């Protein structure tokens, strides 16, 4: 799946994921979006929600004015998908090249290298 969320859509999804098992109402989403700084009309927020519904990352249940919105994909799964997409698009799937670019090509600090080794050990234990 390639969800291709725009920045505002991702902000809305972060809010929904944070409130996930209960889901959220349109009013809660609208209030949240407006708490981010720039005031958005109800119509504009509805456009973001419609885009998220069309991308199948969000689902709606209930009647028109009382809909509850819940995610169709967990945040962890979405984050993994985006990380893999980035790794493949920019670094030909090479974690080594990615880490090198992330560290500025100068190698990792001792602490970062230790954390990376720990993550890789944990990943290998799961296989």
């Amino acid at each position: 799946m390639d969800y291709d969320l725009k920045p505002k859509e991702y902000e809305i999804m972060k809010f929904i994921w944070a409130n996930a098992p209960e889901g959220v109402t349109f009013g809660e989403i609208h209030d949240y979006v407006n708490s981010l700084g720039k005031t958005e009309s109800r119509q504009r927020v509805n456009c973001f929600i419609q885009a998220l519904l069309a991308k199948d990352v969000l689902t709606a249940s209930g009647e028109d004015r009382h809909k509850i919105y819940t995610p169709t994909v967990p945040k962890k799964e979405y984050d993994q998908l985006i990380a893999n997409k980035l790794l493949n698009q920019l670094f030909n799937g090479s974690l080594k090249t990615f880490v090198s670019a992330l560290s500025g090509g100068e190698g990792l600090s001792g602490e970062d290298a230790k954390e990376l080794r720990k993550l890789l050990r944990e990943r290998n234990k799961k296989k």
Side-chain angles (χ1 to χ4, degrees), residues 67-118:
K67 284 189 178 174
I68 300 294
Y69 298 95
T70 53
T72 58
V73 60
K75 184 173 186 327
K76 184 176 181 179
E77 185 179 319
Y78 175 81
D79 289 346
Q80 289 171 338
L81 180 105
I82 296 304
N84 285 328
K85 180 179 175 182
L86 179 70
L87 187 67
N88 288 324
Q89 281 182 341
L90 300 179
F91 303 100
N92 293 326
S94 170
L95 185 58
K96 178 182 172 186
T97 305
F98 172 73
V99 171
S100 178
L102 191 62
S103 66
E106 299 174 11
L108 298 172
S109 71
E111 186 62 31
D112 286 343
K114 183 178 174 182
E115 285 184 44
L116 185 56
R117 279 193 295 276
K118 181 182 174 187

Side-chain angles (χ1 to χ4, degrees), residues 36-90:
L36 298 175
K38 182 181 177 201
T39 303
E40 298 284 3
S41 69
R42 294 179 67 79
Q43 183 177 3
R44 181 93 168 115
V45 172
N46 188 52
C47 287
F48 293 129
I49 291 171
Q50 294 306 312
L52 292 167
L53 290 166
K55 292 176 183 182
D56 291 328
V57 293
L58 192 62
T59 188
S61 60
E63 297 187 28
D64 286 341
R65 294 200 174 259
H66 303 287
K67 284 189 178 174
I68 300 294
Y69 298 95
T70 53
T72 58
V73 60
K75 184 173 186 327
K76 184 176 181 179
E77 185 179 319
Y78 175 81
D79 289 346
Q80 289 171 338
L81 180 105
I82 296 304
N84 285 328
K85 180 179 175 182
L86 179 70
L87 187 67
N88 288 324
Q89 281 182 341
L90 300 179

Side-chain angles (χ1 to χ4, degrees), residues 15 25-36 42 45:
F15 173 72
T25 64
F26 176 85
E28 290 170 321
I29 296 169
H30 185 251
D31 290 346
Y32 173 74
V33 168
N34 287 329
S35 76
L36 298 175
R42 294 179 67 79
V45 172

